[in-house]
Amino acid sequence: MSSPAERYAAARRRAAQASEFPALDEFALGVGFDLDDFQREACQALEKGSGVLVCAPTGAGKTVVGEFAVHLALRGAPAGPAVADGPAPARRKCFYTTPIKALSNQKYHDLVERYGTEQVGLLTGDNAINGDAPVVVMTTEVLRNMLYAGSATLDGLAYVVMDEVHYLADRFRGGVWEEVIIHLPASVTLVSLSATVSNAEEFADWLVTVRGETAVVVSEHRPVPLWQHMLVGKRMFDLFHDADAARKHDVHPELLRYTRDTLRRLEVSDTRGGGWGRRGPRWRGPLRPDIVDRLDREGLLPAILFIFSRAGCAAAVQQCLAAGLRLTSPEERAEIRRVVESRVTAIPGEDLTVLGYWEWLDGLERGLAAHHAGMLPVFKEVVEELFVRGLVKAVFATETLALGINMPARCVVLERLVKYNGEAHVDLTPGEYTQLTGRAGRRGIDVEGHAVVVWSPETDPRHVAGLASTRTYPLRSSFRPSYNMAVNLVGTVGTAPARELLESSFAQFQADRSVVGLARQVQRNTETIEAYGVEAECHHGDFDEYFALRVAIGERERSIARQGQSQRRAAAVAALERLRVGDVIRVPAGRRAGLAVVLDPATGGFGEPRPLVLTQDRWAGRVSPGDFTTPAEVLTRIRVPKHFNHRSPAARRDLAAQVSGTGLDRRSRRGARGRGNGEDDRLTQLRAELRRHPCHACPDREEHARWAERRRRLERDTDELRQRVSGRTGSLARTFDRIVALLTARGYLTADGEVTAAGRMLSRIWTEADLLVAECLRGGVWDGLTPAELAAAVSVIVFEARRDVDERASLPRGGVAEAVEETLKLWSGIESDEAARGLTVTREPDLGFAWPIYRWARGETLAKVLASGHEIDGEMPAGDFVRWARQVVDLLGQLADSGGASAELRATARQAIATVNRGVLAYHAAT
């Protein structure tokens, strides 16, 4: 217990802080808990008038700093140092930006609860509520569009909170964050809230250059300690013995011993069982229902179980239901049903059946649910609400949940440490592992959080320890100029200042910093090259000239060898393609060397021929051109039974005996063929010049040559470094110049850098394929279409399939097919122009959503619509349909408001929006 003197001193300190930071003292009283040190430090910097960057783990309470900015705005405190002349404005504005609509909706409700509906507004793509309020929550894109449009809503703006600012690393949308940071008026104080990143200081240095004074507050401390575990079969182990072992990455010895013993047992049992087989060791990990039941018995629910597959999440729920799991009480089940029924009233009954509503409700009532992007948004929101309230106990989720709204759990389970990133299966990075496991531990509820990795033979506990202990999550800019950005910048500030603005981006800041290191390396290499040159000098003559001859001879010899190798391979391929059943050939080298008979010729396929053969050693399999150093020759022919089964040992034995009975030698008596008698004239000339050179007679010739070779390699490496320096220095400005040149050639900008009427139309198109939309409008591609046809025609611009599908999707006949054909022609022209200028900006239109949105806009049932999706795995998931349909509606809304569209097209776009916004699309998240 502290002494009276210590308590008095603490009271004096609090009083001093209250007098120095009155707004913070007032705010802290209303928070309801003591602020952490990092929260207090950041809020104090904000009250002093400084911008602030806060980096802290998930769940640490970063948003308190953002809410303090809201408090300052409503309090009327000026952003920045007090102005001497004139009173401070009575009311300032604060914009609170988030990366996704779900976060905006959640933050809006939080602030309304605290400050009331009159003080708080919401602006997202779906909702506009009280947009003139002093505090407005919005998605980052909305603020970017306001800045370019010079919206009057910006008047009086004092603070901008950028929640989840690490989203600027997102390769699809990250550039928007940088656009906002660069374009915000200097009078606005920026509050940046980020997950823990390893280059916070670098990011802060950039913020200082573009925004002025910015305090950096980094906290690695988790308010709720996180314990790491591994589940091996039915046994749960701690990953680390204690905190000290965690810092050293030392895996718990008992865990290491047990996993090694398990692997050894698997190997022994597999060897006895006839080998490892094609699928590796026969390991069966714990079943998903057993994992949930184990967590329930150990008091570790509610839990999020990350399964990196939508189908896997749905299957996990079904497996738990089939196992009879029930995690809820009768009272909880009644409350769950009440919440669900109140949220789905707007969805027609026949659609609910298509969406698997009853199975979904059964899972919820038992405390189980899936959560992934393929689900209907209202279903996901219900799961989120019930989980936060503790009614749903176990959620099987894809990694998108880790980046979504606030859904903390007591425990997080990772079923695998590999995920599909859209192109390939890749290992989780330390940053991704930290984000996923960061959900574990609810502040104010749990004493500690738990992260569990399910062990399999491919999972090394030491690798998991590395993921759990590493805090490397660097922030990398994904900023790239776009056509819309270019016309907006040129129209706002002019071409030259626009270039300068781009060069002030975080992307260029990072590139320029890396250039410094590369330039230093170039300088060091240059000095070393000079030293090598001194060592290579020869008193007999010019050794550089002599060494150049040696290099030329080596390159010529390699060229001739490559040419010969290519010819030999082509001859081997041609010979294999001519083989027929029964031909006896000789495999010249390798494990299968010897005589062989052809069982199945390699005809009619794609790629290299790979005939099926049987060797005289009774091996049956396919051979390739790589097995033949010389073309395969038919030595003789034997009869192969019509229905010969090469998998039958007896059949193989009999036919192999026939092959041996031919009396032919296993190996060819001919030696290796010569390379030909004709010598290359140029090679002969170079060798003659080399022998005549004075340096050829030098006794230290080979020593000089070694130094010259080192210098040549270093020169080559240094040239590559110089190219990298050149590519990075001013790289964004060069891309911008190319985009401006293309826009000028197409009539969106004048030669003098003025924005034309077409350019002004382009400046109000906010989509990834902005230039293609503008070209379609200028070409009248969508004129004369019906509302349903228009929805289908514009869908090819916004839609992007999750996976590549080989065959092209079909289209509704008539107006849609014609409009899409014209769109593809325009895209082809844009792509050609981009390729000529070294740009890759506009992706190819994707036809996969045309039929679903066409049928939906015509009023057909949800079942027919989902069945018409051009998907590899069958039906289109309802969540995907809703997400893409909303993007179509967003683009239609832009057409309805576009000055470049005809009055008829604008009216059709409004009708199309009305036809699409029905049923499951009529529901909006925040109403």
Side-chain angles (χ1 to χ4, degrees):
M1 195 175 201
S2 58
S3 66
E6 288 171 333
R7 289 197 296 274
Y8 174 71
R12 288 285 301 269
R13 281 196 299 274
R14 284 195 298 271
Q17 284 186 347
S19 62
E20 188 179 358
F21 302 105
L24 177 56
D25 188 57
E26 182 183 288
F27 173 75
L29 290 173
V31 168
F33 56 84
D34 290 337
L35 296 182
D36 289 341
D37 290 343
F38 86 91
Q39 294 169 329
R40 188 170 291 280
E41 182 186 346
C43 291
Q44 287 174 352
L46 204 51
E47 189 167 356
K48 284 180 180 177
S50 170
V52 65
L53 167 64
V54 183
C55 299
T58 302
K62 298 183 290 288
T63 53
V64 166
V65 183
E67 288 165 8
F68 180 59
V70 171
H71 175 79
L72 287 175
L74 293 177
R75 189 174 183 265
V83 182
D85 50 342
R91 179 68 51 90
R92 309 296 296 270
K93 285 185 179 179
C94 176
F95 288 173
Y96 198 112
T97 71
T98 71
I100 54 177
K101 292 172 187 174
L103 270 173
S104 293
N105 296 329
Q106 187 180 56
K107 182 51 65 177
Y108 167 72
H109 289 302
D110 291 347
L111 292 175
V112 163
E113 192 175 333
R114 181 160 184 177
Y115 297 109
T117 53
E118 291 183 6
Q119 302 278 41
V120 185
L122 175 68
L123 292 174
T124 67
D126 295 336
N127 291 285
I129 303 170
N130 197 15
D132 293 323
V135 177
V136 184
V137 183
M138 61 185 69
T139 49
T140 316
E141 280 85 353
V142 170
L143 178 53
R144 186 270 312 271
N145 298 354
M146 276 187 190
L147 289 166
Y148 280 143
S151 170
T153 311
L154 296 166
D155 294 343
L157 181 62
Y159 297 93
V160 166
V161 180
M162 301 197 82
D163 203 354
E164 310 280 356
V165 76
H166 53 270
Y167 257 75
L168 67 78
D170 184 89
R171 67 190 178 107
F172 298 110
R173 298 170 55 217
V176 177
W177 274 253
E178 290 188 50
E179 286 182 80
V180 168
I181 292 169
I182 292 169
H183 292 302
L184 276 175
S187 59
V188 176
T189 300
L190 185 67
V191 181
S192 306
L193 310 178
S194 170
T196 307
V197 293
S198 52
N199 60 336
E201 288 74 17
E202 179 188 38
F203 184 50
D205 287 347
W206 173 68
L207 287 174
V208 169
T209 63
V210 292
R211 303 296 317 161
E213 186 182 352
T214 303
V216 188
V217 179
V218 178
S219 173
E220 293 279 357
H221 174 68
R222 278 182 54 94
V224 180
L226 179 65
W227 292 95
Q228 308 273 352
H229 312 278
M230 284 199 82
L231 182 62
V232 187
K234 294 183 177 181
R235 289 194 61 180
M236 185 91 80
F237 293 89
D238 290 338
L239 184 60
F240 304 113
H241 182 263
D242 53 29
D244 190 48
R247 281 192 292 273
K248 296 176 181 175
H249 300 205
D250 289 342
V251 178
H252 201 297
E254 190 180 347
L255 169 61
L256 278 178
R257 189 163 49 248
Y258 189 80
T259 53
R260 283 171 186 157
D261 290 346
T262 304
L263 276 174
R264 200 174 297 117
R265 284 196 301 273
L266 284 169
E267 289 171 14
V268 169
S269 63
D270 231 60
T271 305
R272 287 175 181 165
W276 284 64
R278 295 179 62 189
R279 294 185 178 272
R282 297 182 185 88
W283 166 256
R284 288 186 178 86
L287 299 175
R288 289 160 177 166
D290 294 341
I291 294 175
V292 175
D293 186 51
R294 172 76 177 268
L295 297 176
D296 186 28
R297 283 186 281 108
E298 297 199 8
L300 294 178
L301 296 181
I304 300 171
L305 297 93
F306 284 108
I307 299 172
F308 302 119
S309 150
R310 296 179 178 185
C313 292
V317 174
Q318 292 305 314
Q319 290 158 11
C320 291
L321 294 179
L325 274 184
R326 190 179 294 278
L327 307 172
T328 53
S329 66
E331 295 77 18
E332 287 174 327
R333 289 195 286 280
E335 177 62 11
I336 288 168
R337 182 174 281 269
R338 187 195 66 75
V339 170
V340 172
E341 289 177 349
S342 69
R343 297 292 292 274
V344 300
T345 50
I347 301 175
E350 64 270 20
D351 288 352
L352 288 176
T353 303
V354 173
L355 295 166
Y357 168 76
W358 300 107
E359 296 86 350
W360 174 67
L361 179 59
D362 185 25
L364 290 176
E365 288 187 335
R366 297 198 199 187
L368 301 158
H371 187 289
H372 56 76
M375 291 171 62
L376 198 66
V378 63
F379 282 19
K380 280 198 300 180
E381 289 162 21
V382 168
V383 170
E384 290 159 6
E385 179 184 340
L386 294 176
F387 188 80
V388 169
R389 290 179 58 182
L391 296 170
V392 165
K393 318 291 184 179
V395 169
F396 298 92
T398 56
E399 77 275 12
T400 51
L401 178 61
L403 303 172
I405 69 164
N406 182 29
M407 271 183 68
R410 180 168 295 165
C411 179
V412 164
V413 178
L414 299 183
E415 190 175 75
R416 298 178 66 208
L417 296 176
V418 175
K419 68 167 189 172
Y420 185 73
N421 67 357
E423 297 173 358
H425 287 88
V426 296
D427 291 337
L428 286 182
T429 65
E432 289 167 335
Y433 182 90
T434 302
Q435 279 201 314
L436 293 168
T437 56
R439 291 274 171 202
R442 297 164 297 172
R443 187 168 189 172
I445 302 174
D446 299 323
V447 177
E448 56 194 26
H450 298 268
V452 179
V453 174
V454 180
W455 183 84
S456 68
E458 299 82 30
T459 309
D460 186 344
R462 288 166 297 193
H463 173 62
V464 180
L467 289 174
S469 308
T470 306
R471 292 291 176 264
T472 52
Y473 182 54
L475 204 54
R476 294 277 173 261
S477 172
S478 59
F479 183 75
R480 298 290 179 273
S482 67
Y483 297 114
N484 169 284
M485 186 193 302
V487 291
N488 273 301
L489 283 173
V490 171
T492 307
V493 298
T495 307
R499 278 180 109 256
E500 292 172 8
L501 273 173
L502 286 174
E503 288 180 331
S504 69
S505 67
F506 186 46
Q508 194 60 58
F509 184 82
Q510 285 190 312
D512 290 344
R513 279 205 163 185
S514 65
V515 161
V516 172
L518 292 175
R520 285 178 185 153
Q521 187 61 47
V522 167
Q523 181 61 39
R524 285 195 293 269
N525 286 5
T526 305
E527 293 169 2
T528 308
I529 287 167
E530 291 174 3
Y532 287 172
V534 172
E535 295 293 339
E537 287 177 0
C538 177
H539 65 280
H540 284 266
D542 185 349
F543 199 84
D544 288 348
E545 186 179 80
Y546 176 77
F547 186 72
L549 286 170
R550 287 177 64 141
V551 170
I553 289 169
E555 288 176 351
R556 187 67 183 170
E557 286 174 340
R558 283 191 292 274
S559 174
I560 292 168
R562 279 196 300 270
Q563 190 177 354
Q565 185 180 8
S566 175
Q567 290 170 350
R568 286 195 298 276
R569 188 170 186 83
V573 168
L576 290 183
E577 286 174 341
R578 289 193 295 268
L579 295 177
R580 292 178 298 161
V581 175
D583 286 346
V584 177
I585 61 174
R586 185 180 286 111
V587 181
R591 289 185 300 161
R592 310 303 175 194
L595 299 176
V597 60
V598 176
L599 305 178
D600 176 35
T603 56
F606 294 98
E608 293 183 333
R610 297 183 71 243
L612 178 66
V613 302
L614 173 71
T615 69
Q616 63 190 113
D617 296 326
R618 305 181 192 175
W619 175 82
R622 295 197 177 272
V623 291
S624 69
D627 295 314
F628 293 84
T629 52
T630 57
E633 293 182 40
V634 179
L635 305 174
T636 187
R637 288 180 55 76
I638 62 174
R639 183 180 171 279
V640 177
K642 190 168 186 181
H643 299 293
F644 180 77
N645 180 8
H646 68 275
R647 291 188 173 86
S648 165
R652 287 203 307 270
R653 182 191 62 222
D654 293 345
L655 191 59
Q658 274 187 262
V659 174
S660 298
T662 59
L664 296 166
D665 287 342
R666 288 178 65 94
R667 302 191 183 281
S668 173
R669 294 182 180 276
R670 291 176 296 171
R673 294 182 178 179
R675 296 191 179 219
N677 299 323
E679 183 66 76
D680 182 74
D681 293 339
R682 176 60 182 153
L683 191 57
T684 303
Q685 180 189 348
L686 287 169
R687 285 172 176 162
E689 288 181 28
L690 185 77
R691 285 191 293 271
R692 288 196 301 269
H693 198 283
C695 292
H696 194 64
C698 178
D700 298 324
R701 180 185 68 198
E702 294 309 310
E703 181 67 18
H704 295 324
R706 278 192 288 274
W707 285 107
E709 176 61 24
R710 288 173 191 161
R711 183 178 66 174
R712 186 173 78 95
R713 288 178 183 171
L714 194 56
E715 282 174 341
R716 190 173 56 212
D717 293 345
T718 306
D719 286 342
E720 288 179 8
L721 286 175
R722 286 196 179 102
Q723 286 177 2
R724 286 165 64 188
V725 169
S726 174
R728 293 184 188 185
T729 305
S731 53
L732 286 178
R734 278 199 302 279
T735 303
F736 175 73
D737 290 342
R738 293 168 188 161
I739 285 175
V740 166
L742 190 150
L743 291 173
T744 303
R746 285 181 169 264
Y748 292 91
L749 297 172
T750 67
D752 299 329
E754 296 293 323
V755 180
T756 64
R760 284 190 288 277
M761 172 187 69
L762 175 58
S763 72
R764 293 294 167 265
I765 296 172
W766 313 99
T767 185
E768 193 180 340
D770 43 19
L771 182 59
L772 182 55
V773 173
E775 289 290 293
C776 287
L777 285 173
R778 293 173 79 187
V781 170
W782 298 319
D783 291 343
L785 297 178
T786 65
E789 289 174 338
L790 179 60
V794 303
S795 76
V796 304
I797 288 176
V798 298
F799 179 70
E800 187 173 9
R802 291 179 66 222
R803 290 185 174 89
D804 290 335
V805 181
D806 291 336
E807 69 273 11
R808 176 172 158 171
S810 63
L811 291 166
R813 292 179 182 175
V816 176
E818 291 167 10
V820 170
E821 205 57 45
E822 283 301 309
T823 303
L824 288 169
K825 286 179 185 175
L826 289 172
W827 171 79
S828 182
I830 291 171
E831 188 200 31
S832 297
D833 281 0
E834 288 177 343
R837 290 176 166 84
L839 295 168
T840 51
V841 182
T842 310
R843 65 172 175 81
E844 184 177 1
D846 192 321
L847 283 51
F849 195 57
W851 265 116
I853 195 67
Y854 178 70
R855 286 184 161 168
W856 181 256
R858 288 180 62 188
E860 295 190 29
T861 64
L862 184 63
K864 284 186 178 179
V865 168
L866 297 181
S868 63
H870 190 62
E871 297 281 310
I872 294 174
D873 305 324
E875 278 195 357
M876 170 172 272
D880 288 347
F881 170 72
V882 170
R883 186 171 72 257
W884 290 117
R886 283 183 174 170
Q887 292 208 26
V888 169
V889 167
D890 180 73
L891 182 52
L892 289 169
Q894 293 182 47
L895 299 185
D897 296 334
S898 173
S902 64
E904 180 193 2
L905 179 59
R906 291 201 298 272
T908 306
R910 282 190 284 272
Q911 291 169 23
I913 292 170
T915 60
V916 172
N917 275 336
R918 66 179 180 87
V920 292
L921 264 298
Y923 172 83
H924 288 312
T927 50

